[in-house]
């Protein structure tokens, strides 16, 4: 190789690396600005409103997302395992189709549908209907992710289990689920965090705001609070406070997601 | 197939007019073959002749493939394994299987892998640790790995993984162990270690081994069966097959004229 060629390669390398670094800076800058504003304004809002209001706001969101996750994550994971392990069957194919279709539907449409079907028809218990809307966002995503993860388990591993005398469902339960565990746990945290921050499916459920107040003397779901308060100039401080709490909650959850992604023994 | 069995030989298994299909493909044709207890039976033949299909019939793994079916019979201790009241799970526990590519369970430790068969079959075993130790000792892995029982299985070498798979199979205390080209991915040193293990296992188990290597068949087997195009061409004492085979096709194969 001539030294001219080596020099050219070095130049190209330096330019490419510089350009990539610039992209990262451009990406980081708005994030940093937004975070700074969020922390300073949010802290001021929280101090103004008193710490107790933050606790109440958290309670509403965590309860909504918590109820939705508790129902939808096991359902999604179980469904996803079934979809992959029993593929070929009609039920599995229908399940794959439904999970795919539902996870493509915009959240606002899910909210509208739940509103039309449940809230309009039954009327009461709307807090639970809010959780139902979130669950409808979580379950298909989890099913999709789980089925994907299970598909990446080599067939030879299942064959080994069968040759040891395992039934199909034991193979799924003890071997396949072990392999997909980390990926699925990570997805569960991320999906739950996203649901906690989702506004769109809850927009129609104004009643969703009364229930936690009655039960816990808490407040609205956080995303709704942000959405509402942001549109009223007098309530901006509250919006900032709610947003800060929301981002913190999401941050904590994504920490758990990252921890879940590290399998045992692989430190 | 004219040899008369010496009296000390018991038939552990027997294929009786066994046929196997993959959909329309007739992969095994009228195979009749004994498997002698506490001996090593080697199955040799060119690629695609049905060796894997044959051994997968011995523990009912053939039927796991979509569209696969069999006719004829396979006897284990003189009883058909295909009878309606026989649970394939119990057949697979009595006739264990080792595959060409080591297939330890990912995301499990060494220890969990060794005892996985017990957990998977729902067996109620009290002293899991001593079962694991016994199985690992039989494949000479105990000394090597006793300090690393809780290490992820991915950290083992391919050869250690293959021995671990053998240990996982032995932990279920099978009567027959079927090996489908267990050394195909291993270097000569690792291969000879596995062969030593096979020698040692003969006292406790009946072994059927598929191999592409004539030398390996000659080294490890007591009896050898030569398959060609789905048929059993010749079965005899290994030294007869490798010194004076009766069929010219066997001779062509072992002298490397085809295959
Ligand atoms: N899952 C399958 N579906 C359809 N046909 C198959 C399948 N597995 C094997 N066959 C066919 O059955 C015949 C016997 O295959 P088998 O795997 O038993 O041969 P083999 O002697 O083990 O070959 P090799 O030495 O390459 O392992 C071949 O013609 C093969 O193409
Ligand atoms: Mg084969």
């Amino acid at each position: 190789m001539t030294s001219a060629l080596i020099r050219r390669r070095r130049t190209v390398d330096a330019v490419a690396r510089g350009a990539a670094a610039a992209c990262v800076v451009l990406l980081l800058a708005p994030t940093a600005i937004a975070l700074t504003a969020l922390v300073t304004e949010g802290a001021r809002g929280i101090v103004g409103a008193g710490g107790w209001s933050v606790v109440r706001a958290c309670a509403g969101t965590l309860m909504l997302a918590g109820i939705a996750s508790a129902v939808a994550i096991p359902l999604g994971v179980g469904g996803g395992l079934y979809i992959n392990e029993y593929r070929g069957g009609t039920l599995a194919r229908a399940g794959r189709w439904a999970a795919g279709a539902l996870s493509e539907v915009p959240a606002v449409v899910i909210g509208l549908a739940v509103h039309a079907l449940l809230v309009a028809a039954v009327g009461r218990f709307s807090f639970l209907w809010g959780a139902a809307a979130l669950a409808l966002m979580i379950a298909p995503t989890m099913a999709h992710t789980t089925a994907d993860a299970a598909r990446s388990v080599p067939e030879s591993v299942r064959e080994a289990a069968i040759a040891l005398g395992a039934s199909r469902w034991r193979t799924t339960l003890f071997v396949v689920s072990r392999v997909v565990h980390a990926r699925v746990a990570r997805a569960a945290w991320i999906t739950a965090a996203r649901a906690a921050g989702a506004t769109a499916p809850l927009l129609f459920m104004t009643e969703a705001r009364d229930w936690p107040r009655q039960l816990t003397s808490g407040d609205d779901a956080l995303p709704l609070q942000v959405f509402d308060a942001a549109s009223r100039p007098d309530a901006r401080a509250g919006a900032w406070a709610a947003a800060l709490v929301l981002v913190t909650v999401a941050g904590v959850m994504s920490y758990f997601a990252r921890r879940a992604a590290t399998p045992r023994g692989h430190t | 197939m004219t040899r008369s069995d010496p009296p000390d030989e018991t038939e552990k298994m027997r294929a009786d007019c066994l046929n196997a299909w993959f959909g329309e493909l007739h992969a095994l044709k009228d195979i009749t073959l004994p498997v002698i207890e506490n001996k090593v039976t080697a199955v040799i033949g060119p690629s695609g002749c049905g060796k894997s299909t044959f051994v997968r019939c011995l523990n009912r793994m053939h039927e796991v493939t979509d569209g696969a079916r069999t006719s004829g019979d396979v006897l284990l201790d003189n009883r058909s394994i295909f009878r309606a009241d026989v649970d394939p799970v119990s057949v697979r526990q009595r006739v264990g299987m080792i595959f060409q590519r080591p297939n330890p369970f990912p995301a499990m430790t060494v220890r969990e892998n060794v005892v996985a068969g017990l957990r998977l079959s729902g067996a109620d075993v009290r002293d899991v640790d001593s079962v694991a130790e016994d199985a690992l000792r039989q494949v000479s892995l105990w000394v090597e790995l006793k300090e690393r029982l809780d290490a992820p299985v991915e950290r083992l070498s391919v050869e250690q993984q293959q021995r671990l798979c053998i240990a996982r199979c032995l932990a279920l205390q099978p009567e027959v162990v079927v090996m489908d080209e267990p050394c195909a991915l291993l270097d000569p040193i690792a291969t000879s270690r596995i062969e030593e293990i096979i020698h040692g296992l003969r006292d406790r188990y009946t072994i059927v081994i598929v191999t592409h290597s004539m030398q390996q068949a000659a080294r490890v087997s007591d009896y050898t069966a030569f398959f060609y195009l789905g048929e059993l061409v010749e079965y005899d004492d290994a030294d007869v097959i490798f010194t004076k085979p009766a069929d010219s096709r066997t001779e062509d194969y072992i002298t490397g004229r085809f295959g």
Side-chain angles (χ1 to χ4, degrees), chain A residues 18 33 46 57 73 75 140 151 171 179 186 200 231 233 242 254:
Chain A
I33 293 169
I46 290 173
I73 289 175
L75 238 148
R151 195 166 35 194
T171 305
V179 183
R186 177 161 175 271
S231 51
S254 65

Side-chain angles (χ1 to χ4, degrees), chain A residues 152-227:
Chain A
S152 71
V153 177
E155 215 40 55
S156 63
V157 168
R158 291 188 186 83
E159 193 168 49
I162 307 258
L164 287 169
S167 59
R168 198 62 184 267
W169 72 266
R170 265 183 197 276
T171 305
T172 307
L173 203 64
F174 294 122
V175 178
V176 177
S177 70
R178 270 301 274 280
V179 183
V180 303
H181 173 265
R183 252 173 91 179
V184 168
R186 177 161 175 271
W189 280 107
I190 290 173
T191 314
R194 207 169 286 157
T199 330
L202 303 178
L203 280 179
F204 305 98
M205 291 173 229
T206 43
E207 305 91 331
R209 300 154 189 212
D210 300 328
W211 194 71
R213 194 170 289 137
Q214 294 154 9
L215 195 79
T216 63
S217 345
D219 222 322
D220 296 345
L222 283 166
L224 281 182
Q225 234 178 41
V226 179
F227 184 80

Side-chain angles (χ1 to χ4, degrees), chain B residues 226 228 231 233 247-254 258:
Chain B
F226 172 60
Y228 186 57
E231 289 176 52
V233 171
D247 196 290
S248 62
R249 288 170 294 175
T250 316
E251 183 162 8
D252 286 350
Y253 182 69
I254 59 172
F258 71 88

Side-chain angles (χ1 to χ4, degrees), chain A residues 218-248:
Chain A
D219 222 322
D220 296 345
L222 283 166
L224 281 182
Q225 234 178 41
V226 179
F227 184 80
D228 261 13
S231 51
R232 283 182 286 132
D234 56 309
R236 281 282 156 78
W240 280 112
L244 177 58
V245 174
L246 193 54
V247 169
T248 310

Side-chain angles (χ1 to χ4, degrees), chain A residues 153-154 156-167 170-171 174-175 178-179 264-267, chain B residues 56 61 64 89 92-93 97 99 103 105-108 112 117 119-120 122 152 154-155 168-169 172:
Chain A
V153 177
S156 63
V157 168
R158 291 188 186 83
E159 193 168 49
I162 307 258
L164 287 169
S167 59
R170 265 183 197 276
T171 305
F174 294 122
V175 178
R178 270 301 274 280
V179 183
R264 264 180 295 168
H266 298 253
T267 36
Chain B
R56 289 171 66 90
M61 284 299 285
V64 172
V89 166
R92 290 175 197 144
Q93 281 166 9
M97 183 158 213
F99 298 82
N103 49 8
F105 294 129
M108 288 192 197
E112 286 170 329
R119 299 235 187 283
L120 280 168
E154 289 85 353
R155 300 235 177 107
R168 182 179 65 184
C169 168
L172 280 172

Side-chain angles (χ1 to χ4, degrees), chain A residues 12-13 15-17 28-29 31 40 47 49 52 134 140 143 148 157 166 168-169 174 181 188 190 200 215 254 262 265:
Chain A
V12 171
D13 180 58
V15 170
R17 200 191 301 190
L28 280 177
T31 316
T40 50
V47 169
W52 186 234
L134 293 185
D148 257 14
V157 168
R168 198 62 184 267
W169 72 266
F174 294 122
H181 173 265
I190 290 173
L215 195 79
S254 65
T262 316

Side-chain angles (χ1 to χ4, degrees), chain B residues 159-218:
Chain B
E159 186 245 346
Q160 286 174 323
Q161 289 186 11
Q162 187 64 303
R163 280 193 280 159
L164 183 68
C165 289
I166 299 176
R168 182 179 65 184
C169 168
L170 300 182
L172 280 172
Q173 299 184 293
E175 297 156 45
V176 181
V177 179
V178 169
M179 304 180 171
D180 192 354
E181 300 191 47
C183 304
L185 299 179
L186 305 179
D187 66 28
I189 293 173
T191 298
S192 71
R193 230 175 339 217
I194 301 269
E195 287 176 7
E196 262 169 52
I197 289 167
I198 293 172
H199 255 288
L201 294 181
R202 199 161 35 170
D203 301 333
R204 275 169 81 169
Y205 311 92
T206 301
I207 293 170
V208 180
I209 180 173
V210 173
T211 175
H212 257 127
S213 151
M214 243 66 65
Q215 290 84 353
Q216 180 167 68

